[in-house]
Amino acid sequence: MVLNELQASGETMVSMLNRIFDPIPVPIILVGKDTRVIMINQVFADFLGHPKSEIIGEEVQKVDKYSRFPYVFKNKKSEIAWKHKFENGHTAIVHRIPILDDQGEVLYGFGMVLFQNVEEFKDIIQKNKLLESELSLYKNQLKEMQGAKYSWDNIIGESERMVQAKYMARRAAQSNSNVLLLGKSGTGKELFAHAIHSGSNRNHNPFVKVNCAAIPAELLESELFGYEEGAFTGAKKGGKIGKFELSNGGSIFLDEIGDMPIKMQAKLLRILQEKEVERVGSNKTTKIDIRVIAATNQDLKELVQKGEFREDLYYRLNVMSIEIPSLQERDNDVEGLSYSLLRKLSSQMGKYVSKISVNAMEYIRGHNWPGNVRELENVLERAINLTESDSILPVHLPVYITQNTKKVAKGPIRTLKDVIEDTEKEAIARCLEYTEGNKLKTAKLLNISRSSLYDKIEKYGLE
Protein backbone atom coordinates (compact mmCIF):
# COMPACT_ATOMS: atom_id res chain seq x y z
CA MET A 1 0.00 0.00 0.00
CA VAL A 2 2.73 2.45 1.03
CA LEU A 3 4.81 1.39 -1.98
CA ASN A 4 1.87 2.02 -4.36
CA GLU A 5 1.29 5.45 -2.85
CA LEU A 6 4.96 6.41 -3.24
CA GLN A 7 5.00 5.21 -6.85
CA ALA A 8 1.77 7.09 -7.59
CA SER A 9 3.39 10.30 -6.33
CA GLY A 10 5.91 10.07 -9.18
CA GLU A 11 9.01 9.37 -7.06
CA THR A 12 11.83 7.34 -8.57
CA MET A 13 12.76 4.05 -6.97
CA VAL A 14 16.09 5.48 -5.70
CA SER A 15 14.49 8.55 -4.11
CA MET A 16 11.78 6.33 -2.64
CA LEU A 17 14.38 4.04 -1.09
CA ASN A 18 16.32 7.03 0.21
CA ARG A 19 13.19 8.46 1.85
CA ILE A 20 12.52 5.11 3.52
CA PHE A 21 16.03 4.29 4.71
CA ASP A 22 17.78 7.65 5.28
CA PRO A 23 15.96 8.33 8.60
CA ILE A 24 17.08 4.92 9.93
CA PRO A 25 20.13 5.48 12.19
CA VAL A 26 21.68 2.13 11.22
CA PRO A 27 24.05 1.93 8.18
CA ILE A 28 22.25 0.07 5.37
CA ILE A 29 23.21 -0.79 1.78
CA LEU A 30 21.45 -2.52 -1.12
CA VAL A 31 23.57 -4.05 -3.88
CA GLY A 32 22.42 -5.38 -7.27
CA LYS A 33 23.37 -8.83 -8.60
CA ASP A 34 26.01 -7.09 -10.74
CA THR A 35 27.56 -5.91 -7.39
CA ARG A 36 26.73 -2.25 -8.15
CA VAL A 37 25.28 -0.19 -5.30
CA ILE A 38 21.56 0.49 -5.76
CA MET A 39 20.96 2.29 -2.45
CA ILE A 40 23.00 3.40 0.55
CA ASN A 41 21.57 5.48 3.37
CA GLN A 42 23.20 8.69 4.57
CA VAL A 43 24.50 7.14 7.81
CA PHE A 44 26.44 4.51 5.87
CA ALA A 45 27.77 7.04 3.33
CA ASP A 46 29.02 9.22 6.19
CA PHE A 47 30.59 6.16 7.82
CA LEU A 48 32.48 5.36 4.59
CA GLY A 49 33.45 9.01 4.12
CA HIS A 50 32.09 9.42 0.57
CA PRO A 51 29.13 11.41 -0.83
CA LYS A 52 26.16 9.24 -1.75
CA SER A 53 26.36 10.51 -5.34
CA GLU A 54 29.82 8.93 -5.71
CA ILE A 55 28.66 5.60 -4.28
CA ILE A 56 25.34 4.94 -6.05
CA GLY A 57 25.94 2.96 -9.24
CA GLU A 58 29.54 2.03 -8.38
CA GLU A 59 30.75 -1.55 -7.97
CA VAL A 60 30.74 -2.30 -4.27
CA GLN A 61 34.41 -3.33 -4.30
CA LYS A 62 35.36 0.09 -5.70
CA VAL A 63 33.62 1.68 -2.72
CA ASP A 64 35.23 -0.77 -0.28
CA LYS A 65 37.85 -3.08 -1.80
CA TYR A 66 37.49 -5.52 1.10
CA SER A 67 33.76 -6.04 0.50
CA ARG A 68 32.73 -9.72 0.55
CA PHE A 69 29.46 -9.28 -1.39
CA PRO A 70 30.93 -11.04 -4.50
CA TYR A 71 31.81 -14.00 -2.26
CA VAL A 72 28.31 -13.98 -0.68
CA PHE A 73 26.70 -13.88 -4.14
CA LYS A 74 28.83 -16.80 -5.31
CA ASN A 75 28.03 -18.96 -2.26
CA LYS A 76 24.45 -17.71 -1.84
CA LYS A 77 24.89 -17.86 1.93
CA SER A 78 24.34 -15.10 4.47
CA GLU A 79 27.18 -13.85 6.65
CA ILE A 80 25.72 -12.85 9.99
CA ALA A 81 27.60 -10.74 12.56
CA TRP A 82 30.94 -10.84 10.71
CA LYS A 83 33.90 -8.77 11.81
CA HIS A 84 34.87 -6.59 8.84
CA LYS A 85 37.65 -4.06 8.35
CA PHE A 86 36.67 -1.32 5.90
CA GLU A 87 39.07 0.39 3.52
CA ASN A 88 38.91 3.55 5.64
CA GLY A 89 40.40 1.65 8.58
CA HIS A 90 37.17 1.22 10.60
CA THR A 91 36.46 -2.25 11.97
CA ALA A 92 32.78 -3.11 12.43
CA ILE A 93 30.32 -5.97 12.92
CA VAL A 94 28.17 -6.48 9.80
CA HIS A 95 25.46 -8.59 8.17
CA ARG A 96 25.59 -9.55 4.46
CA ILE A 97 22.44 -11.26 3.16
CA PRO A 98 21.82 -12.46 -0.43
CA ILE A 99 18.22 -12.06 -1.62
CA LEU A 100 17.27 -14.92 -3.97
CA ASP A 101 14.45 -15.45 -6.46
CA ASP A 102 12.21 -18.54 -6.66
CA GLN A 103 14.88 -20.37 -8.70
CA GLY A 104 17.53 -19.68 -6.10
CA GLU A 105 19.36 -17.05 -8.18
CA VAL A 106 20.72 -13.87 -6.60
CA LEU A 107 18.61 -10.72 -7.08
CA TYR A 108 20.13 -8.34 -4.53
CA GLY A 109 22.47 -8.18 -1.60
CA PHE A 110 21.39 -6.49 1.63
CA GLY A 111 24.01 -5.21 4.06
CA MET A 112 23.81 -3.71 7.52
CA VAL A 113 26.38 -2.49 10.04
CA LEU A 114 25.36 -3.65 13.52
CA PHE A 115 28.16 -1.96 15.44
CA GLN A 116 30.18 0.82 13.83
CA ASN A 117 33.27 -0.06 15.84
CA VAL A 118 34.47 -3.14 17.64
CA GLU A 119 34.78 -1.25 20.95
CA GLU A 120 31.02 -0.68 20.92
CA PHE A 121 30.56 -4.40 20.36
CA LYS A 122 33.00 -5.22 23.17
CA ASP A 123 31.02 -3.03 25.57
CA ILE A 124 27.90 -5.05 24.83
CA ILE A 125 29.82 -8.29 25.36
CA GLN A 126 31.29 -6.99 28.63
CA LYS A 127 27.85 -6.17 29.99
CA ASN A 128 26.78 -9.74 29.28
CA LYS A 129 30.03 -11.34 30.39
CA LEU A 130 28.44 -13.76 32.84
CA LEU A 131 25.96 -15.01 30.27
CA GLU A 132 28.72 -15.34 27.65
CA SER A 133 30.94 -17.30 30.06
CA GLU A 134 28.17 -19.72 30.91
CA LEU A 135 27.27 -20.14 27.24
CA SER A 136 30.92 -20.76 26.35
CA LEU A 137 31.17 -23.38 29.09
CA TYR A 138 28.07 -25.20 27.85
CA LYS A 139 29.28 -25.00 24.24
CA ASN A 140 32.65 -26.49 25.16
CA GLN A 141 31.03 -29.29 27.15
CA LEU A 142 28.62 -30.01 24.31
CA LYS A 143 31.46 -29.95 21.78
CA GLU A 144 33.47 -32.38 23.89
CA MET A 145 30.50 -34.66 24.42
CA GLN A 146 28.87 -34.44 21.06
CA GLY A 147 30.97 -35.72 18.27
CA ALA A 148 33.27 -35.33 15.34
CA LYS A 149 33.49 -32.15 13.25
CA TYR A 150 34.68 -33.73 9.99
CA SER A 151 33.40 -36.38 7.59
CA TRP A 152 34.63 -38.16 4.45
CA ASP A 153 33.81 -35.05 2.40
CA ASN A 154 36.56 -33.18 4.23
CA ILE A 155 39.25 -35.65 3.12
CA ILE A 156 40.45 -34.41 -0.27
CA GLY A 157 42.50 -36.62 -2.58
CA GLU A 158 42.20 -39.01 -5.51
CA SER A 159 45.76 -40.36 -5.66
CA GLU A 160 46.15 -44.14 -5.44
CA ARG A 161 47.61 -44.07 -1.92
CA MET A 162 44.88 -41.74 -0.64
CA VAL A 163 42.07 -43.75 -2.24
CA GLN A 164 43.45 -46.87 -0.58
CA ALA A 165 43.66 -45.13 2.82
CA LYS A 166 40.08 -43.85 2.54
CA TYR A 167 38.84 -47.30 1.53
CA MET A 168 40.49 -48.89 4.58
CA ALA A 169 39.12 -46.15 6.84
CA ARG A 170 35.57 -46.60 5.53
CA ARG A 171 35.81 -50.34 6.17
CA ALA A 172 37.13 -49.68 9.67
CA ALA A 173 34.25 -47.28 10.37
CA GLN A 174 31.73 -50.05 9.76
CA SER A 175 33.28 -52.22 12.50
CA ASN A 176 33.76 -51.80 16.23
CA SER A 177 37.43 -52.77 16.04
CA ASN A 178 40.22 -50.54 17.31
CA VAL A 179 41.96 -48.45 14.66
CA LEU A 180 45.61 -47.41 14.46
CA LEU A 181 46.36 -44.41 12.21
CA LEU A 182 49.99 -44.16 11.08
CA GLY A 183 51.60 -41.28 9.22
CA LYS A 184 53.95 -38.34 9.43
CA SER A 185 53.05 -35.17 11.27
CA GLY A 186 50.58 -33.00 9.35
CA THR A 187 49.18 -35.73 7.06
CA GLY A 188 45.64 -35.50 8.46
CA LYS A 189 45.41 -38.35 10.97
CA GLU A 190 42.96 -36.42 13.15
CA LEU A 191 40.79 -35.75 10.10
CA PHE A 192 40.61 -39.50 9.48
CA ALA A 193 39.74 -40.14 13.14
CA HIS A 194 36.81 -37.70 12.93
CA ALA A 195 35.60 -39.23 9.66
CA ILE A 196 35.80 -42.79 11.01
CA HIS A 197 33.63 -41.84 13.99
CA SER A 198 31.21 -39.84 11.79
CA GLY A 199 30.87 -42.79 9.41
CA SER A 200 30.25 -45.37 12.16
CA ASN A 201 27.11 -46.46 13.98
CA ARG A 202 28.53 -44.62 17.02
CA ASN A 203 28.23 -41.20 15.34
CA HIS A 204 25.39 -40.02 17.60
CA ASN A 205 27.48 -40.76 20.68
CA PRO A 206 30.50 -38.88 22.08
CA PHE A 207 33.79 -38.44 20.23
CA VAL A 208 36.46 -37.54 22.80
CA LYS A 209 39.96 -36.39 21.81
CA VAL A 210 43.08 -36.81 23.95
CA ASN A 211 46.60 -35.71 22.98
CA CYS A 212 48.81 -38.06 24.99
CA ALA A 213 51.89 -35.88 24.39
CA ALA A 214 50.25 -32.64 25.52
CA ILE A 215 49.14 -33.77 29.00
CA PRO A 216 51.85 -34.07 31.69
CA ALA A 217 52.47 -37.68 32.75
CA GLU A 218 51.41 -36.99 36.36
CA LEU A 219 48.01 -35.65 35.18
CA LEU A 220 47.34 -38.12 32.40
CA GLU A 221 46.00 -40.87 34.67
CA SER A 222 43.35 -38.67 36.31
CA GLU A 223 42.42 -37.15 32.92
CA LEU A 224 41.91 -40.53 31.29
CA PHE A 225 40.40 -42.51 34.16
CA GLY A 226 38.91 -39.83 36.40
CA TYR A 227 39.16 -39.78 40.19
CA GLU A 228 37.10 -40.02 43.36
CA GLU A 229 36.65 -37.23 45.87
CA GLY A 230 39.68 -37.01 48.18
CA ALA A 231 41.81 -39.25 45.94
CA PHE A 232 44.68 -36.76 46.20
CA THR A 233 45.46 -33.25 47.40
CA GLY A 234 43.56 -30.75 45.26
CA ALA A 235 40.98 -33.28 44.03
CA LYS A 236 37.59 -31.72 43.23
CA LYS A 237 34.71 -32.22 45.58
CA GLY A 238 32.59 -35.00 44.18
CA GLY A 239 35.47 -36.32 42.03
CA LYS A 240 35.78 -36.10 38.28
CA ILE A 241 34.71 -38.27 35.37
CA GLY A 242 37.55 -39.38 33.07
CA LYS A 243 37.83 -39.25 29.29
CA PHE A 244 37.12 -42.96 28.90
CA GLU A 245 33.82 -42.69 30.80
CA LEU A 246 32.95 -39.55 28.82
CA SER A 247 33.36 -41.49 25.58
CA ASN A 248 31.11 -44.36 26.69
CA GLY A 249 29.04 -45.52 23.73
CA GLY A 250 31.21 -43.60 21.30
CA SER A 251 34.86 -43.29 20.29
CA ILE A 252 37.99 -42.01 21.99
CA PHE A 253 40.82 -40.64 19.86
CA LEU A 254 44.24 -41.11 21.47
CA ASP A 255 46.59 -38.92 19.46
CA GLU A 256 50.38 -39.33 19.82
CA ILE A 257 49.85 -42.74 21.45
CA GLY A 258 53.58 -43.43 21.15
CA ASP A 259 54.21 -40.82 23.87
CA MET A 260 51.97 -42.52 26.45
CA PRO A 261 53.95 -43.55 29.58
CA ILE A 262 54.44 -47.29 30.14
CA LYS A 263 52.36 -47.17 33.35
CA MET A 264 49.40 -45.73 31.43
CA GLN A 265 49.87 -48.32 28.68
CA ALA A 266 49.24 -51.12 31.18
CA LYS A 267 45.98 -49.49 32.33
CA LEU A 268 44.91 -48.86 28.74
CA LEU A 269 45.52 -52.52 27.91
CA ARG A 270 43.21 -53.56 30.73
CA ILE A 271 40.47 -51.26 29.47
CA LEU A 272 40.76 -52.73 25.98
CA GLN A 273 40.69 -56.28 27.34
CA GLU A 274 38.10 -55.99 30.12
CA LYS A 275 36.00 -53.08 28.78
CA GLU A 276 35.94 -51.51 32.24
CA VAL A 277 37.56 -48.48 33.90
CA GLU A 278 38.58 -47.80 37.49
CA ARG A 279 38.85 -44.22 38.75
CA VAL A 280 41.89 -43.05 40.71
CA GLY A 281 41.22 -43.58 44.44
CA SER A 282 38.41 -46.10 43.84
CA ASN A 283 38.20 -49.86 44.02
CA LYS A 284 35.06 -50.01 41.91
CA THR A 285 35.04 -50.65 38.18
CA THR A 286 32.62 -49.24 35.63
CA LYS A 287 31.72 -51.11 32.45
CA ILE A 288 32.20 -49.03 29.31
CA ASP A 289 31.56 -49.51 25.60
CA ILE A 290 34.16 -47.62 23.59
CA ARG A 291 36.08 -47.89 20.35
CA VAL A 292 39.69 -46.66 20.49
CA ILE A 293 41.15 -44.78 17.52
CA ALA A 294 44.86 -44.23 18.12
CA ALA A 295 47.34 -42.26 16.03
CA THR A 296 51.10 -41.78 15.96
CA ASN A 297 53.87 -40.44 13.73
CA GLN A 298 56.36 -42.80 15.37
CA ASP A 299 57.39 -46.34 14.45
CA LEU A 300 55.63 -48.38 17.15
CA LYS A 301 57.47 -51.58 16.17
CA GLU A 302 60.76 -49.82 16.81
CA LEU A 303 59.46 -48.51 20.17
CA VAL A 304 58.44 -52.08 21.08
CA GLN A 305 61.95 -53.31 20.32
CA LYS A 306 63.39 -50.55 22.52
CA GLY A 307 61.04 -51.50 25.36
CA GLU A 308 59.30 -48.10 25.21
CA PHE A 309 55.95 -49.47 24.06
CA ARG A 310 54.18 -52.62 25.26
CA GLU A 311 54.08 -55.34 22.63
CA ASP A 312 50.72 -56.70 23.85
CA LEU A 313 49.18 -53.20 23.63
CA TYR A 314 50.61 -52.72 20.14
CA TYR A 315 48.89 -55.86 18.86
CA ARG A 316 45.67 -54.96 20.69
CA LEU A 317 45.60 -51.54 18.96
CA ASN A 318 46.86 -52.73 15.59
CA VAL A 319 43.61 -54.43 14.54
CA MET A 320 42.79 -52.06 11.71
CA SER A 321 46.01 -50.29 10.72
CA ILE A 322 45.74 -47.42 8.22
CA GLU A 323 48.77 -45.59 6.86
CA ILE A 324 48.06 -42.00 5.81
CA PRO A 325 50.35 -41.05 2.91
CA SER A 326 52.52 -37.96 3.06
CA LEU A 327 51.82 -35.11 0.64
CA GLN A 328 55.05 -36.00 -1.18
CA GLU A 329 53.50 -39.40 -2.01
CA ARG A 330 50.29 -37.89 -3.41
CA ASP A 331 51.57 -35.39 -5.97
CA ASN A 332 48.34 -35.54 -8.02
CA ASP A 333 46.34 -34.33 -5.01
CA VAL A 334 48.29 -31.12 -4.40
CA GLU A 335 46.29 -28.88 -6.75
CA GLY A 336 42.83 -30.05 -5.62
CA LEU A 337 43.89 -29.90 -1.99
CA SER A 338 45.29 -26.39 -2.46
CA TYR A 339 41.98 -25.08 -3.79
CA SER A 340 40.02 -26.85 -1.05
CA LEU A 341 42.22 -25.24 1.60
CA LEU A 342 41.98 -21.89 -0.22
CA ARG A 343 38.17 -21.95 0.02
CA LYS A 344 38.29 -22.90 3.69
CA LEU A 345 40.90 -20.27 4.63
CA SER A 346 39.27 -17.55 2.52
CA SER A 347 36.01 -18.10 4.38
CA GLN A 348 37.68 -18.20 7.80
CA MET A 349 39.81 -15.10 7.19
CA GLY A 350 37.05 -13.03 5.61
CA LYS A 351 39.13 -12.32 2.50
CA TYR A 352 37.92 -13.33 -0.97
CA VAL A 353 40.80 -15.15 -2.68
CA SER A 354 39.76 -17.83 -5.18
CA LYS A 355 42.63 -18.25 -7.68
CA ILE A 356 46.18 -19.56 -7.79
CA SER A 357 48.14 -18.51 -10.86
CA VAL A 358 49.63 -21.14 -13.18
CA ASN A 359 53.19 -20.23 -12.18
CA ALA A 360 52.36 -20.21 -8.46
CA MET A 361 50.75 -23.64 -8.78
CA GLU A 362 53.87 -24.95 -10.53
CA TYR A 363 55.95 -23.91 -7.54
CA ILE A 364 53.42 -25.44 -5.13
CA ARG A 365 53.42 -28.73 -7.05
CA GLY A 366 57.22 -28.67 -7.25
CA HIS A 367 57.77 -28.42 -3.49
CA ASN A 368 58.41 -31.58 -1.43
CA TRP A 369 56.16 -30.52 1.50
CA PRO A 370 58.03 -32.10 4.43
CA GLY A 371 55.40 -30.54 6.72
CA ASN A 372 52.63 -32.16 4.66
CA VAL A 373 49.10 -30.70 4.57
CA ARG A 374 49.75 -28.55 7.64
CA GLU A 375 52.66 -26.86 5.88
CA LEU A 376 50.60 -26.32 2.71
CA GLU A 377 47.79 -24.76 4.75
CA ASN A 378 50.23 -22.40 6.49
CA VAL A 379 51.79 -21.35 3.16
CA LEU A 380 48.36 -20.60 1.65
CA GLU A 381 47.26 -18.64 4.73
CA ARG A 382 50.42 -16.53 4.43
CA ALA A 383 49.73 -15.96 0.71
CA ILE A 384 46.12 -14.87 1.38
CA ASN A 385 47.39 -12.32 3.88
CA LEU A 386 49.88 -10.92 1.34
CA THR A 387 47.75 -10.73 -1.80
CA GLU A 388 45.72 -7.61 -2.58
CA SER A 389 43.63 -9.28 -5.28
CA ASP A 390 41.65 -12.51 -5.60
CA SER A 391 44.72 -14.42 -6.86
CA ILE A 392 47.84 -15.94 -5.33
CA LEU A 393 50.98 -15.23 -7.37
CA PRO A 394 54.54 -16.62 -7.02
CA VAL A 395 55.57 -13.42 -5.23
CA HIS A 396 53.19 -14.31 -2.39
CA LEU A 397 54.89 -17.68 -1.76
CA PRO A 398 57.84 -18.11 0.63
CA VAL A 399 61.29 -17.84 -0.95
CA TYR A 400 62.21 -21.37 0.13
CA ILE A 401 59.44 -22.68 -2.15
CA THR A 402 60.09 -20.51 -5.21
CA GLN A 403 63.84 -21.13 -5.08
CA ASN A 404 63.78 -24.84 -4.35
CA THR A 405 61.95 -27.15 -6.73
CA LYS A 406 62.16 -30.86 -7.36
CA LYS A 407 65.15 -32.11 -9.33
CA VAL A 408 64.62 -32.49 -13.06
CA ALA A 409 65.26 -35.94 -14.49
CA LYS A 410 68.58 -36.40 -16.24
CA GLY A 411 68.56 -35.77 -19.97
CA PRO A 412 70.61 -34.39 -22.87
CA ILE A 413 72.88 -31.41 -22.12
CA ARG A 414 71.26 -28.16 -23.34
CA THR A 415 73.14 -25.24 -24.85
CA LEU A 416 73.87 -22.24 -22.65
CA LYS A 417 71.84 -20.06 -25.07
CA ASP A 418 68.73 -22.26 -24.56
CA VAL A 419 69.10 -22.18 -20.78
CA ILE A 420 69.50 -18.39 -20.77
CA GLU A 421 66.46 -17.92 -23.04
CA ASP A 422 64.32 -20.15 -20.82
CA THR A 423 65.37 -18.18 -17.75
CA GLU A 424 64.66 -14.88 -19.51
CA LYS A 425 61.25 -16.09 -20.66
CA GLU A 426 60.28 -17.19 -17.13
CA ALA A 427 61.48 -13.90 -15.60
CA ILE A 428 59.41 -11.83 -18.06
CA ALA A 429 56.33 -14.06 -17.62
CA ARG A 430 56.51 -13.80 -13.82
CA CYS A 431 56.97 -10.03 -13.94
CA LEU A 432 54.03 -9.59 -16.34
CA GLU A 433 51.90 -11.66 -14.02
CA TYR A 434 53.01 -9.58 -11.02
CA THR A 435 52.20 -6.30 -12.80
CA GLU A 436 48.95 -7.73 -14.18
CA GLY A 437 50.13 -7.12 -17.75
CA ASN A 438 51.36 -3.55 -17.27
CA LYS A 439 54.24 -3.45 -19.78
CA LEU A 440 55.60 -0.05 -18.74
CA LYS A 441 55.89 -1.19 -15.12
CA THR A 442 57.32 -4.55 -16.24
CA ALA A 443 60.03 -2.87 -18.32
CA LYS A 444 61.01 -0.66 -15.38
CA LEU A 445 61.19 -3.60 -12.97
CA LEU A 446 63.31 -5.61 -15.41
CA ASN A 447 65.45 -2.54 -16.21
CA ILE A 448 65.01 -2.85 -19.98
CA SER A 449 63.47 -0.54 -22.59
CA ARG A 450 59.84 -0.91 -23.61
CA SER A 451 60.79 -1.68 -27.22
CA SER A 452 63.12 -4.43 -26.01
CA LEU A 453 60.35 -5.84 -23.81
CA TYR A 454 57.88 -5.88 -26.75
CA ASP A 455 60.44 -7.72 -28.90
CA LYS A 456 60.99 -10.35 -26.22
CA ILE A 457 57.26 -10.78 -25.60
CA GLU A 458 56.77 -11.45 -29.29
CA LYS A 459 59.81 -13.73 -29.44
CA TYR A 460 58.65 -15.93 -26.54
CA GLY A 461 54.93 -15.82 -27.40
CA LEU A 462 53.96 -14.19 -24.11
CA GLU A 463 51.30 -11.83 -25.50
Side-chain angles (χ1 to χ4, degrees), residues 337-359:
L337 188 57
S338 296
Y339 277 103
S340 175
L341 290 171
L342 193 64
R343 287 190 293 271
K344 168 190 159 187
L345 291 168
S346 181
S347 178
Q348 287 177 351
M349 297 166 68
K351 193 171 179 183
Y352 181 58
V353 180
S354 62
K355 301 172 188 173
I356 302 173
S357 75
V358 174
N359 284 348

Side-chain angles (χ1 to χ4, degrees), residues 364-409:
I364 289 172
R365 289 179 64 97
H367 185 56
N368 283 325
W369 299 110
N372 293 295
V373 180
R374 190 177 292 124
E375 182 188 2
L376 175 60
E377 186 169 2
N378 289 343
V379 165
L380 291 174
E381 183 174 347
R382 174 188 187 272
I384 291 172
N385 279 316
L386 291 177
T387 184
E388 294 183 357
S389 67
D390 64 347
S391 297
I392 291 175
L393 307 177
V395 71
H396 302 133
L397 301 176
V399 174
Y400 75 88
I401 288 180
T402 56
Q403 289 188 353
N404 183 27
T405 56
K406 292 177 181 175
K407 292 180 180 178
V408 179

Side-chain angles (χ1 to χ4, degrees), residues 420-421 424-425 428 432 446 448-463:
I420 291 173
E421 286 184 346
E424 186 176 60
K425 178 181 178 181
I428 294 171
L432 282 168
L446 294 174
I448 60 176
S449 67
R450 264 199 296 176
S451 59
S452 179
L453 175 64
Y454 284 123
D455 290 341
K456 292 178 186 295
I457 287 173
E458 185 178 356
K459 175 182 176 181
Y460 297 128
L462 296 174
E463 189 62 62

Side-chain angles (χ1 to χ4, degrees), residues 8-199:
S9 69
E11 282 188 292
T12 65
M13 179 64 73
V14 172
S15 62
M16 180 175 61
L17 289 172
N18 286 336
R19 193 143 74 87
I20 293 171
F21 290 109
D22 267 346
I24 299 175
V26 177
I28 293 172
I29 191 170
L30 187 67
V31 179
K33 62 182 179 181
D34 60 356
T35 75
R36 293 185 182 276
V37 178
I38 296 174
M39 183 284 302
I40 185 169
N41 66 355
Q42 191 62 51
V43 176
F44 205 166
D46 293 341
F47 176 76
L48 293 174
H50 298 293
K52 287 174 65 174
S53 59
E54 292 181 8
I55 298 175
I56 303 294
E58 278 286 1
E59 292 180 4
V60 70
Q61 284 190 307
K62 287 186 178 178
V63 179
D64 174 29
K65 69 179 180 181
Y66 301 126
S67 174
R68 284 175 54 84
F69 268 112
Y71 188 80
V72 169
F73 285 2
K74 183 178 179 181
N75 288 275
K76 301 177 184 178
K77 291 181 180 178
S78 298
E79 293 182 345
I80 304 298
W82 274 60
K83 181 180 176 182
H84 179 73
K85 185 172 183 178
F86 287 90
E87 191 175 350
N88 60 14
H90 292 304
T91 301
I93 305 299
V94 305
H95 288 339
R96 302 182 194 90
I97 303 168
I99 301 169
L100 310 178
D101 61 17
D102 293 339
Q103 284 72 45
E105 296 302 317
V106 173
L107 290 174
Y108 306 102
F110 178 77
M112 176 187 294
V113 177
L114 278 74
F115 300 97
Q116 295 186 34
N117 61 69
V118 175
E119 292 305 316
E120 182 184 353
F121 181 61
K122 286 180 179 176
D123 288 341
I124 299 285
I125 295 298
Q126 192 65 31
K127 290 174 184 176
N128 295 278
K129 192 172 182 180
L130 179 61
L131 179 62
E132 182 187 15
S133 298
E134 289 181 6
L135 184 62
S136 177
L137 174 64
Y138 295 141
K139 279 184 176 180
N140 287 337
Q141 288 179 342
L142 185 62
K143 187 177 179 181
E144 184 177 57
M145 292 289 295
Q146 229 7 62
K149 295 185 292 183
Y150 308 111
S151 64
W152 304 116
D153 292 337
N154 298 110
I155 301 177
I156 308 299
E158 298 301 327
S159 62
E160 185 179 347
R161 291 289 306 279
M162 201 60 175
V163 168
Q164 183 181 4
K166 284 195 284 186
Y167 170 77
M168 289 291 292
R170 285 180 183 274
R171 299 297 295 175
Q174 300 307 309
S175 73
N176 280 316
S177 299
N178 298 322
V179 180
L180 181 60
L181 300 173
L182 304 170
K184 295 178 181 178
S185 180
T187 51
K189 296 186 291 295
E190 183 170 346
L191 207 63
F192 270 83
H194 280 258
I196 289 169
H197 177 79
S198 295

Side-chain angles (χ1 to χ4, degrees), residues 247-297:
S247 59
N248 191 23
S251 306
I252 185 167
F253 174 47
L254 300 177
D255 199 8
E256 307 293 353
I257 188 74
D259 292 304
M260 179 177 280
I262 288 287
K263 179 184 174 183
M264 291 300 99
Q265 293 178 27
K267 287 204 166 192
L268 174 58
L269 182 63
R270 179 178 174 181
I271 289 175
L272 295 178
Q273 290 174 334
E274 307 298 332
K275 301 294 183 183
E276 59 185 28
V277 64
E278 185 178 304
R279 292 189 185 185
V280 176
S282 174
N283 56 10
K284 295 179 181 178
T285 59
T286 303
K287 285 287 184 183
I288 55 172
D289 170 27
I290 60 167
R291 189 251 286 279
V292 172
I293 304 172
T296 182
N297 58 12

